Structures are given as C-alpha cells and as structure tokens.
Amino acid sequence: MTDSEREDELLRLNRTLAEIHKQLTAASGKCTEAQVELQNNLTDYWQSYGGNLWDEAQMIEAVERQRSITAVIHQGQVQLKQALSSPYFGRFDFIEETSQETRPEPIYVGLLTLTDRKTGEILVYDWRAPVSGMFYDFERGAACYQAPMGKVNGIITLKRQYKIIQGQMKYMFDSDLKIDDDILQEILSKSVDAKMHTIVTSIQREQNQVIRNDENQLLLVQGPAGSGKTSIALHRIAYLLYRDRKTINAQNILIFSPNHIFSDYISNVLPEMGEENVRQTTFQDYIASFKDLLPIEIESRAAQLEYVLTGRSGKEFAARLVAIHYKTSPEFAGIIDQYLSYYENQLVLDYPDITFGSRMIFSKAEWLDYYLTHFSFLPPLRRLTKIRELIHLRIRPLTHELRRQKEAEIVAAGEEINEQTIKALARVAARQELGGLISQIDKLTQLQPLTLYRRLFTHSTLFKRLSAGTSVPPEWPAICRQTRAWLNQGKMPYEDSPAFLYFQGILAGFPAKNTIKYLVVDEAQDYTVLQYKILGKLFPDCSWTILGDPAQLVHPYIQGIKFEQLSQLAAFANPRMITLSRSYRSTQEIQAFCNALLPAATPVAYLNRRGPLPQVVKFDRLDPAKVLEALQSMQAAGCRSIAVICKTIRQASALHQTLPSHRSISLIVDEDAEFKRGIVIIPAFLAKGLEFDGVLVYNANSDNYCHEQERKLLYTVCTRALHRLMICWNGRPSPFIEVMKKSLYQTN
C-alpha cells in the first residue's frame, strides 16, 4: 500500500465519519420530536379516556403507531453511534464483467448501510447485504454474488482490512482470504469478556456459507469445539432479520439454548449488530410451562445429572443408568409411537352402540365415522370430547321426555302438590334413570394420559406386544419397579419427561407456536429423538437451524439423536448438513491435547496460534492453597476469565466452601444464573457452550473420569479453554489422560 493510498483511506474515513455525525445529529432531533409526539399522544389518550369506543380505538392505534416510529428512530440512532466508533472493517474493489466501467467500485463493509444523503452514494454496505458476501467468500480474482435480480459475476481486484477504534485508524493492510491472517490472530489471542461478541470482522468462508444459506428448510451444522457454531447461529439470525425484514421480526425467531447461563452469555451479540434480541428458551422451560397443568412433579435435568455424575454403585444405580439410556433411545420412541397409534386409529373399533331401552342414540358405525373421519383432524382426547358433546345433544330430548314422565307419575301418585318440588323430584328421578348411560358415555370418552403411560410399566403383556422385534434391556423389570416407585410418590424421573410430554401432546394436542418462523437449536447432540418430535409438533411451520457436536455430549448415558436421523423426523424441504472443519477457539497445544482425549477423533484444522502446553498436575489432598496458586498463575499470565470446572454441583459447592476468604470467586450451580466474569467455579454440565481464557479442570482422577461414557464430558470441559489449560488430580489420573503421549502436556 502506497503513502498516497493511505492518505486516500484517511480522507475516506473522515468523510464517512462526517456523514455519520450529520445523520446522528438529524436522528437525535427526530428522536426528540418522536418522543415529544409520543408523549402528546399519551397525554391526549389519558385526557380523552372515557370517550366512545371508536375514538378510544383510534387513539390507541395512534399511540402504538407513534411508539413503533419512536423505537425505529431510536434504534437507528443507536446504530449510528456504534458506527461512529468503527464505521467499517473491510473493503474490496469489484468490477462487474458486464460493466462499461473500466475502474472497479470500492465496496466498504461495516455493521450498517450508510448512504451520503446529498449524493446518494453508498459509503458503507451492511455486512449482510448480498454484495458484501464476497468479502468473506472470495480472494482477489474471479468472484460472484447472488443479487435480487440474479447472479452477478466479476473480478475482485483488491481486498483490504482495517482496525478502527473510536474513529481512529489503528492499522490497515491488503489481504487475501487466509485463516491465519493477522486480524483473526489478534482477535483470538485476546482475553474473553463476560459476554460473547460479534464476529463480523472475522467470519470465515465456511461459516459464511451457513450464515447466508437461503435454500434449505432444515440446516444441520456439525462442527468441533471452537468452530463458532453458536456465533454462526446468531449471525445467521441477524442475516435473516435483515433479509426478511419486511415479513419477520425478532418475535418470529426462537433459540433453544442449553441453559439460561448460556443465554445470558450470548445476549450481547445481536444488539451489537443493531438487532433486537430474539426469544431464548430451554427444554426445561418447556417442561416448567406445564408445571401447573401436570398431575405429577417432574425431576429436574440438573438433579438427574447430579445423580448420574455422582457415581454411586449398586443394582438400583445401575438399573437407573440403563433406564436413562433406554428411555432416550429411538427404540423406546418407537414403542411410544406404536402405543399412541392404537389410540389414534383403533381406540373405537370395539366401542358398542349407545342405547337407552329400545332407542339407538349413537351407533357403533357412528363411533367409527366421527372418530376416524369427521374429527380425525383433532387429537384423540378432543375427538372424544366432541363425540361426547354430540351424544349429550342427542340425549337432551330424552332427558326432557323422562322428566315429563316422572312429573306425571309424581302427580298421579298424589304425593306432592308443590309444582317446584314436583319438578325437582322429577329431575332427580330422570338423572338416576340415565345415570348408567351417562357413566358409560363418560367412561368411553375419557383418556387419562398419565394413567395410560403408567400402563407401560404395569402391564407386561402390553409392553411385550409393543416391543416385539426390538431389543429390550434385561433390566426392564427393575426399570419398571423404579418407575412405578417414582409415580407412586407423585413424581416422574427426568428421563420419562420427554416420553410422557410427547404422549400427552399426541393425545391432548400440542400448543403449536405458529408465529415462530425460524427455530435455532444449539447443542443439538444433547436432545433425544422424542425431544425433537416434540419440537416438531410445537413448531410445525418454520425453518430449522440445528447446530452441535457429537463429541460434546455432556450427559454420559442418554442416547442423543444422530444428525443423519434428524431429516427423517419431519417432511423438511431440501434438508442439508454442513460439516465445519476448523476450530478457532483454543491454541494449537490445547487443541492437540483435547483431540487426544477422543479415541477416534475426526481430523480438525485449527488456527496456527501457539501457546504453552496444558499442565497435568498432581495435587496432594487437593489443597485449596494450590488451587489458588494455580488461579493466580493464570491471572499473572493475562487470563481475565477463568473457570474451575468440577464434575458435579456437589464438588463445585464443596470447593467453593474451602475458599471463603476469596469472595471474588463466583459459584455457578444454578441453570438460571447469570454468567459471571472473573474466576468462577462451575459444574461440568453448566460449562457447556462457554469459553474462558483459562480453565482448571478440578480433580480429573480415575474416580471422576474413568468410565468410557465420561470421556466426552472430560473432552467438553477441556475444550472450554482458549489460552491456558490445567488439569489437576489427586490419587491417580483419569485413564483417558494416562494413556496420552507425554509430549502433549507438561507436569509439575
């Protein structure tokens, strides 16, 4: 880059900043005017309260319209303030192959589109604009992008990157698309904050392919730890909000996160890109939403994990582990579907005629006709309710006729002369005579989902018929005893909750959320077949983006669904699976150590960012002083965000208790907690999806991480580290570490 080019770039920056200042001043004035107008509308509304309904409706509409206008103006002002600090981060010069121009057009890429109000020239293109995609996808040379009018081909003659802070140009240089370019290296070598941030300045080609995907209703994204899956999901949401801004808003998108700590951790990303945060939830939230409606208390996911990871022994514990594995399996899901098929398609096949005396009220043929044809669009319970209402309508004339007969009989007997008493006695007599009929109708048209679900564990003949041809664990009788013991106490183990909620939903109907147009499921490997079936029923009319890594399954005993099976669960249009191959989080040394924990790890390309070897250190009696010394060492090395990751909640709480004088160390053991900056002590399953400058894996010994099912859990917690990783242990180290090459780590 020549001195003349540098001078031109600085002039361009000054011109851009000047335009932002002008628009910001105008926006501030408009924002003030809009707020005044809104206040006036609200004042008018309250002063005129009590007028006719038509005037009140018009006033409410005017207030809401002005409120929306004010919000839009305010959001634009916020975006301009953000742009004032760093208006753009990249540039490429592009010339269309069909253009008559001989000079390429410089295209500057930033967080928002900025136009010169006088000349109409676009000074900065939003990173989500179609043309901006070339900045991420192409090096110098032939390039193309998909414009609204069709594909545009051309040539990129220049690519340039910038670092602008507080309106000051820190540096700029010409670049190609390289995974190890200087800007990416600098970004990844920094300490992490308490929140995740946008990656618009460093989006890589493989990530951009996911973010801008326009073709697939189901997009499956599989990638190793640190490949940016969550960041990709959030930037894809920002892209969709930009692309479809005329038809959707933040309320039409929903993210399923692993827990609320993670939701809090990612809460800054969309606002940094000028977008409103979308709704976030967890599967546990879905279960909790039924808390007041369910006739039973469901064990929490955290309680189940704590029980499993505590590592008890004995036949009951072993049976529970088998139960968790089996009840989350595709085979058990198939049994539930077969069981439900009976209630959907065969329930009324043997239902009798409903008669009273010689009268036919509702025939066997009508049961079949209404249940299987007229009301077949409804779930079974609602079909039966409709039929019950229909039968009661037919009984009504009979009821009136009986009352008149009973009144006549009472009058003829001469026992009563009070007309009101006669009518009351006639009603009671008619009700008694129809009691058997009403009871029969109620019995035939009622289903109790919990009672029916319980039958799976009480009727061995039923289960044997449903499970024919499938593999059933030999511990099934013990599983049945355990399940019945829970249900007898008015409780349900967590592993039963997806099956039961699916069972109840099919019978009674799911509360479908038709306003959701895009669904994002993060940490997808932690969901089971039945959980995905439930999500499919809850969100029937939307596109899905599902992201995960099979190697990061934190629950050792569930059967998470395989990505290849997901497209078979629903009739998705043109499903596609994309596998990310690069990891950007950890240093090369940490990445190599983590990969060695997996027996057959898929080769991962990682950034050539070097750092110290992970430390594997023996702590005699796990002395708290040594823990503090290790944490202080990490802080001295520049780590601002440090996690001490214990296997269980119990271990995390016990360790925190031994460090009472260090109140700056936060304990996170609640799924609803906020993510904390600094030093945190956290159980393994809550560390999922988070990242820290330094990680101390607490007591990775042969007791805590010895079973093959716990290998992925250890891998997951180790991959949380960006710059420093230390594994401490007491007694004997985990066999997964013991068999590693000694060259992958250093010891004390």
Side-chain angles (χ1 to χ4, degrees):
M1 188 186 305
T2 66
D3 290 341
S4 175
E5 287 177 316
R6 290 181 184 277
E7 185 64 29
D8 288 343
E9 288 286 9
L10 293 175
L11 290 173
R12 171 73 180 220
L13 176 59
N14 290 334
R15 177 190 172 192
T16 303
L17 292 173
E19 181 63 30
I20 293 173
H21 275 293
K22 289 179 184 177
Q23 294 191 21
L24 191 55
T25 300
S28 297
K30 288 182 180 179
C31 192
T32 300
E33 293 174 5
Q35 289 173 340
V36 170
E37 182 66 23
L38 176 61
Q39 186 61 47
N40 290 339
N41 284 341
L42 287 170
T43 300
D44 290 344
Y45 172 73
W46 288 112
Q47 288 179 347
S48 63
Y49 186 75
N52 63 62
L53 291 177
W54 175 251
D55 289 342
E56 186 174 341
Q58 286 186 312
M59 187 64 68
I60 291 174
E61 182 182 354
V63 169
E64 290 303 317
R65 184 170 59 250
Q66 190 59 41
R67 197 190 302 276
S68 298
I69 293 171
T70 303
V72 170
I73 294 173
H74 176 71
Q75 184 63 27
Q77 187 181 23
V78 170
Q79 289 180 302
L80 286 169
K81 286 180 179 178
Q82 290 176 328
L84 197 59
S85 175
S86 181
Y88 49 83
F89 52 82
R91 165 191 170 180
F92 62 96
D93 292 2
F94 181 70
I95 184 168
E96 295 183 22
E97 63 179 15
T98 58
S99 174
Q100 301 300 315
E101 292 286 337
T102 57
R103 295 179 59 187
E105 177 188 1
I107 296 173
Y108 287 78
V109 182
L111 280 173
L112 82 165
T113 298
L114 182 71
T115 304
D116 188 315
R117 294 289 176 86
K118 286 186 178 180
T119 65
E121 177 189 357
I122 299 179
L123 299 176
V124 182
Y125 285 84
D126 192 298
W127 69 274
R128 298 165 291 184
V131 69
S132 299
M134 291 190 291
F135 177 75
Y136 303 108
D137 288 342
F138 294 99
E139 303 174 23
R140 289 195 295 262
C144 64
Y145 70 97
Q146 194 67 34
M149 301 302 293
K151 188 176 181 181
V152 178
N153 295 294
I155 296 174
I156 291 177
T157 61
L158 173 75
K159 282 194 71 176
R160 190 166 286 169
Q161 293 178 265
Y162 311 90
K163 183 174 182 180
I164 304 171
I165 300 177
Q166 298 302 318
Q168 298 295 315
M169 182 73 74
K170 297 301 181 181
Y171 58 70
M172 53 183 150
F173 60 86
D174 293 345
S175 67
D176 286 328
L177 185 74
K178 293 181 180 178
I179 190 64
D180 56 349
D181 66 56
D182 292 342
I183 284 185
L184 186 57
Q185 287 272 15
E186 182 195 7
I187 290 170
L188 296 176
S189 64
K190 287 182 176 180
S191 295
V192 294
D193 291 330
K195 305 282 186 180
M196 181 183 283
H197 294 286
T198 175
I199 61 167
V200 292
T201 61
S202 60
I203 292 171
Q204 301 300 296
R205 178 187 289 173
E206 65 172 3
Q207 297 172 329
N208 196 47
Q209 301 305 310
V210 179
I211 292 169
R212 295 175 184 269
N213 181 282
D214 295 328
E215 303 169 359
N216 308 101
Q217 186 186 11
L218 173 62
L219 193 59
L220 303 165
V221 184
Q222 183 172 293
S227 56
K229 297 181 292 296
T230 299
S231 290
I232 290 170
L234 294 169
H235 287 71
R236 174 162 174 75
I237 289 171
Y239 171 75
L240 293 170
L241 289 170
Y242 174 86
R243 187 195 69 181
D244 301 334
R245 55 192 176 276
K246 293 183 179 179
T247 57
I248 67 167
N249 57 42
Q251 299 302 311
N252 303 124
I253 301 177
L254 181 65
I255 301 176
F256 266 80
S257 297
N259 52 62
H260 289 286
I261 300 169
F262 184 78
S263 298
D264 181 58
Y265 176 62
I266 66 175
S267 61
N268 275 6
V269 178
L270 285 168
E272 282 183 0
M273 292 184 282
E275 298 293 351
E276 180 184 350
N277 259 324
V278 300
R279 295 163 59 192
Q280 295 187 48
T281 190
T282 68
F283 199 82
Q284 290 67 48
D285 289 336
Y286 169 69
I287 294 175
S289 69
F290 286 89
K291 184 176 180 181
D292 296 332
L293 302 176
L294 292 177
I296 199 163
E297 179 186 344
I298 294 178
E299 178 191 31
S300 71
R301 173 174 173 266
Q304 185 211 55
L305 269 168
E306 185 71 3
Y307 175 86
V308 166
L309 296 177
T310 299
R312 302 173 189 177
S313 59
K315 292 183 179 180
E316 289 299 307
F317 180 73
R320 177 81 190 275
L321 297 186
V322 175
I324 292 171
H325 190 69
Y326 183 61
K327 290 177 180 178
T328 57
S329 69
E331 290 78 15
F332 190 70
I335 289 171
I336 296 295
D337 276 328
Q338 282 197 65
Y339 192 17
L340 288 167
S341 176
Y342 168 79
Y343 291 103
E344 287 194 281
N345 304 309
Q346 302 178 58
L347 176 65
V348 301
L349 294 183
D350 297 325
Y351 272 29
D353 293 334
I354 302 297
T355 61
F356 185 77
S358 60
R359 296 190 185 188
M360 173 66 69
I361 296 174
F362 202 76
S363 71
K364 184 173 182 178
E366 286 180 304
W367 278 111
L368 296 173
D369 191 30
Y370 280 99
Y371 188 84
L372 299 177
T373 305
H374 291 299
F375 298 146
S376 61
F377 63 95
L378 295 172
L381 265 172
R382 292 181 61 190
R383 294 186 217 178
L384 294 176
T385 299
K386 286 286 188 181
I387 291 174
R388 182 168 64 247
E389 292 171 352
L390 180 61
I391 295 174
H392 277 292
L393 281 174
R394 295 188 181 182
I395 292 176
R396 189 174 296 171
L398 175 62
T399 303
H400 293 319
E401 182 180 327
L402 272 176
R403 286 179 183 174
R404 288 194 294 271
Q405 289 178 5
K406 298 302 178 183
E407 287 175 10
E409 292 173 3
I410 293 170
V411 170
E415 296 176 358
E416 292 288 345
I417 58 173
N418 183 289
E419 183 178 352
Q420 188 173 355
T421 303
I422 292 172
K423 289 183 179 297
L425 291 172
R427 280 198 301 271
V428 171
R431 190 182 304 120
Q432 289 176 340
E433 191 163 337
L434 290 171
L437 176 64
I438 300 299
S439 177
Q440 180 190 23
I441 295 168
D442 288 345
K443 184 176 180 180
L444 291 172
T445 57
Q446 285 183 356
L447 293 176
Q448 298 294 334
L450 183 59
T451 302
L452 298 177
Y453 183 74
R454 185 190 181 100
R455 289 184 64 200
L456 282 174
F457 309 99
T458 56
H459 291 249
S460 57
T461 303
L462 169 67
F463 184 80
K464 187 176 181 180
R465 185 176 75 248
L466 293 172
S467 61
T470 69
S471 178
V472 179
E475 295 86 353
W476 179 249
I479 292 171
C480 290
R481 284 196 305 272
Q482 284 187 346
T483 307
R484 291 196 301 268
W486 276 82
L487 297 178
N488 289 342
Q489 296 175 38
K491 298 179 180 180
M492 177 176 284
Y494 182 77
E495 59 266 23
D496 281 272
S497 61
F500 174 63
L501 290 174
Y502 178 72
F503 193 84
Q504 177 170 276
I506 293 295
L507 291 178
F510 287 93
K513 315 293 185 183
N514 293 308
T515 59
I516 301 299
K517 302 304 178 185
Y518 293 97
L519 183 70
V520 175
V521 181
D522 204 357
E523 304 295 348
Q525 69 279 355
D526 292 328
Y527 291 76
T528 65
V529 170
L530 283 170
Q531 285 176 309
Y532 279 110
K533 282 178 170 284
I534 289 171
L535 294 180
K537 296 293 184 180
L538 290 173
F539 309 101
D541 301 316
C542 68
S543 296
W544 292 40
T545 301
I546 298 178
L547 311 99
D549 175 17
Q552 294 184 69
L553 186 65
V554 297
H555 197 307
Y557 297 99
I558 71 164
Q559 291 197 49
I561 191 170
K562 294 180 180 179
F563 271 42
E564 295 79 2
Q565 298 172 315
L566 279 169
S567 60
Q568 303 168 10
L569 292 181
F572 290 105
N574 194 22
R576 181 184 178 187
M577 186 165 82
I578 297 176
T579 300
L580 304 175
S581 59
R582 295 179 177 87
S583 178
Y584 306 96
R585 176 184 294 143
S586 306
T587 62
Q588 183 174 327
E589 289 74 14
I590 293 175
Q591 187 71 57
F593 179 90
C594 294
N595 286 350
L597 287 171
L598 301 177
T602 303
V604 176
Y606 40 79
L607 193 71
N608 187 25
R609 185 169 66 84
R610 305 309 297 262
L613 287 170
Q615 293 176 277
V616 178
V617 182
K618 182 176 181 179
F619 280 10
D620 292 327
R621 299 183 304 279
L622 294 171
D623 187 355
K626 288 192 175 182
V627 173
L628 290 174
E629 183 181 336
L631 298 177
Q632 290 164 359
S633 174
M634 287 185 182
Q635 288 179 318
C639 296
R640 294 190 300 174
S641 175
I642 302 172
V644 181
I645 304 181
C646 302
K647 185 183 179 185
T648 65
I649 292 175
R650 181 184 299 178
Q651 291 177 9
S653 299
L655 175 61
H656 191 258
Q657 285 295 317
T658 66
L659 308 170
S661 61
H662 294 269
R663 297 183 179 179
S664 60
I665 300 177
S666 303
L667 175 67
I668 300 178
V669 292
D670 187 345
E671 290 193 278
D672 294 329
E674 291 184 358
F675 183 73
K676 303 288 182 66
R677 186 178 178 178
I679 301 176
V680 300
I681 300 176
I682 189 170
F685 78 97
L686 288 182
K688 163 79 81 166
L690 308 179
E691 59 183 32
F692 305 88
D693 292 331
V695 167
L696 171 61
V697 181
Y698 184 73
N699 201 12
N701 66 8
S702 56
D703 291 329
N704 273 327
Y705 297 97
C706 60
H707 301 294
E708 183 59 32
Q709 294 90 339
E710 295 164 338
R711 182 189 291 273
K712 291 180 178 179
L713 182 63
L714 181 58
Y715 168 81
T716 301
V717 299
C718 288
T719 57
R720 302 306 93 202
L722 277 77
H723 312 303
R724 295 287 190 280
L725 173 62
M726 177 183 286
I727 297 95
C728 73
W729 53 276
N730 171 255
R732 186 174 177 180
S734 164
F736 309 134
I737 296 174
E738 211 168 21
V739 298
M740 271 189 190
K741 293 179 180 179
K742 299 297 187 287
S743 59
L744 292 174
Y745 59 86
Q746 56 183 318
T747 60
N748 54 341

